[in-house]
Amino acid sequence: MKGFLLFVFFLPLFGCQDNLKTATNYNDASVVKLQTDSICIPLDSVSLSSYPSATFIYSTKENTAMYAFNTKTWAIDVFDFNKKALSYHIELEREGANGVPYIDNMQVLSSDSIVCFADNGFLILNSNGEVLKRETMNYSGSDYIANFDVGAFAQPFYNRSQNRIYGRLITSKEPYPYPEGQQLFAEYNIENQTWRLLPIYLPSYMQENWQRMGQNRNLNMWISDDRICYNFTCLSDVFVYDILKQNGRVAGGESRLIHSNVSPYNGNPQNEKARWEHWIENPVFYTPIYDKYKDLYYRIQIGELKEQLSEAPTPYDKKIVLAVFNSKLEIIAEHQLDNYKYNFLFFGVDKEGLIVGGNNPKDTTVDFETLKLYRLRVS
């Protein structure tokens, strides 16, 4: 995953707050440089130039690899970033003892231990695609956690040391997607198959404004071993919940390079064209991502249009900024990024920096026989 930010250290960071937005603290004590490396990997006849399903960046001291679920071949394609080459395919079975359902989310613990999440639970595979462990997570559309009607458990993360799974709760309760007073995240105890709601609620700004944000109101999240980082596409604030300490912080994240204020949407909720125009006209904040190797946070923000266009604008035509936060959640750097280069549908972190997708739809140099990614390295 949104110096820089004023922290508010009270449990209901995640409950009610008096402030509508959090003040931003900037720390300009040092110069932070940005270097962009391209990662271009030739594809074979069955690999994909982009992966719409589960992907995961696995990084060690020696190497970095990307694991990606290939929905066409029902395999996990493994790419070596050091060699810039396709390493191998892990062929999966669809049925039987080693049957693997559609993979919604993936997490690599080691090259021989791959966690795959599906609708009804998770399984762990080895490098041959054999199922080492299969677990059903006991919930359905009619199950309840306290008062919470569980419709889905989104973007789960497996904490091996605690034998817990963390993720966002999705409910069908009204007002969807943020019922009043309901927690946003939960913990699932694998050992005793019990749920625990985390004390993470809508911030006051979202409580007051989310229903007036059109389609610009999504909750983004990045979960790692010890923290949940999240934000909202219409709000510059960045939120971090410490899983071990069970407390949270909120920090402002207003950019000094592009506009950060989102105007309310006052149009018809059913008018998709008007909602899309509102999305285009306003800033959008992507997921705050924690870099455990450098103890930094990254966040991409897109703002106003870069220039006047003769054709209908798209999000790719807007100014793009990478904000870098230190461990105190102070903004220590902002860098404007090139347009028509990146595709922000994919993020990852390795020991060198932030990995983002390439093959931007408006990139005239796109080669669909190549997997293209970029590494944003700050120093």
Side-chain angles (χ1 to χ4, degrees):
M1 232 176 85
K2 84 287 230 133
F4 140 172
L5 303 60
L6 175 66
F7 288 170
V8 183
F9 274 98
F10 48 97
L11 173 68
L13 117 61
F14 310 143
C16 299
Q17 304 170 27
D18 294 332
N19 60 303
L20 287 182
K21 284 189 178 180
T22 306
T24 303
N25 288 343
Y26 305 92
N27 188 331
D28 301 316
S30 59
V31 176
V32 179
K33 297 181 179 180
L34 175 68
Q35 179 178 332
T36 303
D37 301 331
S38 60
I39 304 170
C40 297
I41 300 177
L43 300 173
D44 61 10
S45 60
V46 297
S47 300
L48 306 178
S49 58
S50 63
Y51 287 83
S53 184
T55 54
F56 190 85
I57 298 295
Y58 175 62
S59 186
T60 65
K61 292 182 179 179
E62 296 78 26
N63 195 24
T64 295
M66 184 178 89
Y67 289 68
F69 178 46
N70 190 325
T71 55
K72 293 185 177 180
T73 63
W74 217 256
I76 296 175
D77 301 338
V78 184
F79 298 91
D80 188 315
F81 282 12
N82 293 48
K83 297 179 180 178
K84 294 187 177 179
L86 171 68
S87 293
Y88 53 91
H89 304 285
I90 302 175
E91 297 182 1
L92 306 176
E93 298 180 18
R94 295 176 184 258
E95 298 178 349
N98 289 312
V100 178
Y102 187 95
I103 302 173
D104 294 314
N105 214 50
M106 182 162 49
Q107 187 180 341
V108 181
L109 306 178
S110 72
S111 59
D112 211 35
S113 183
I114 305 165
V115 182
C116 301
F117 292 95
D119 282 344
N120 62 343
F122 73 98
L123 44 87
I124 299 178
L125 309 175
N126 64 17
S127 57
N128 295 320
E130 298 167 337
V131 176
L132 305 177
K133 182 176 184 178
R134 190 187 300 270
E135 292 282 349
T136 299
M137 295 174 64
N138 291 327
Y139 74 87
S140 68
S142 61
D143 283 338
Y144 289 82
I145 305 172
N147 265 341
F148 203 102
D149 181 6
V150 180
F153 198 44
Q155 291 181 247
F157 180 90
Y158 175 48
N159 186 309
R160 179 167 49 178
S161 63
Q162 297 185 50
N163 207 25
R164 304 284 196 278
I165 294 175
Y166 297 90
R168 180 195 169 192
L169 290 166
I170 306 294
T171 180
S172 57
K173 279 189 175 181
E174 295 294 337
Y176 176 83
Y178 306 122
E180 292 184 9
Q182 296 287 7
Q183 291 94 324
L184 300 175
F185 294 88
E187 167 195 277
Y188 181 75
N189 186 318
I190 298 173
E191 184 175 353
N192 57 27
Q193 298 183 332
T194 58
W195 295 85
R196 182 174 70 91
L197 290 168
L198 301 180
I200 303 176
Y201 300 84
L202 273 189
S204 61
Y205 182 88
M206 292 297 294
Q207 290 177 30
E208 297 181 22
N209 295 284
W210 74 264
Q211 297 190 62
R212 301 190 302 145
M213 288 293 115
Q215 68 185 54
N216 192 2
R217 63 188 193 187
N218 298 323
L219 191 161
N220 305 314
M221 61 183 139
W222 178 270
I223 305 179
S224 58
D225 286 332
D226 59 355
R227 68 198 69 195
I228 298 172
C229 306
Y230 67 100
N231 72 345
F232 299 86
T233 53
C234 62
L235 180 61
S236 57
D237 284 0
V238 172
F239 302 86
V240 178
Y241 178 80
D242 189 306
I243 292 173
L244 299 178
K245 296 179 181 178
Q246 299 185 30
N247 61 24
R249 298 178 288 171
V250 56
E254 291 200 352
S255 171
R256 291 187 288 190
L257 298 184
I258 54 180
H259 300 318
S260 293
N261 292 324
V262 175
S263 62
Y265 174 71
N266 297 314
N268 184 342
Q270 306 304 319
N271 189 331
E272 293 187 7
K273 181 180 178 181
R275 292 171 66 218
W276 173 255
E277 290 175 349
H278 175 263
W279 174 271
I280 294 293
E281 293 168 355
N282 282 279
V284 175
F285 303 93
Y286 284 89
T287 310
I289 297 173
Y290 179 62
D291 182 344
K292 64 181 181 180
Y293 305 97
K294 296 184 174 63
D295 199 16
L296 297 174
Y297 298 85
Y298 310 110
R299 191 202 61 201
I300 299 289
Q301 173 183 343
I302 60 175
E304 57 271 23
L305 290 173
K306 187 178 180 183
E307 57 190 16
Q308 294 298 318
L309 302 169
S310 58
E311 57 187 14
T314 71
Y316 304 110
D317 300 306
K318 296 160 70 74
K319 291 181 181 178
I320 308 167
V321 164
L322 169 70
V324 184
F325 302 79
N326 62 17
S327 60
K328 297 179 180 179
L329 288 176
E330 301 169 328
I331 290 182
I332 58 174
E334 288 187 276
H335 297 278
Q336 184 167 335
L337 304 180
D338 297 333
N339 284 75
Y340 314 131
K341 188 172 184 177
Y342 308 99
N343 192 328
F344 299 122
L345 298 177
F346 171 77
F347 294 99
V349 173
D350 73 356
K351 58 185 180 299
E352 299 294 334
L354 175 66
I355 307 293
V356 299
N359 286 341
N360 182 291
K362 300 192 76 169
D363 183 355
T364 58
T365 66
V366 166
D367 178 3
F368 292 105
E369 295 183 356
T370 301
L371 175 70
K372 180 181 285 187
L373 303 163
Y374 293 93
R375 180 187 285 114
L376 305 178
R377 297 196 298 172
V378 299
S379 61

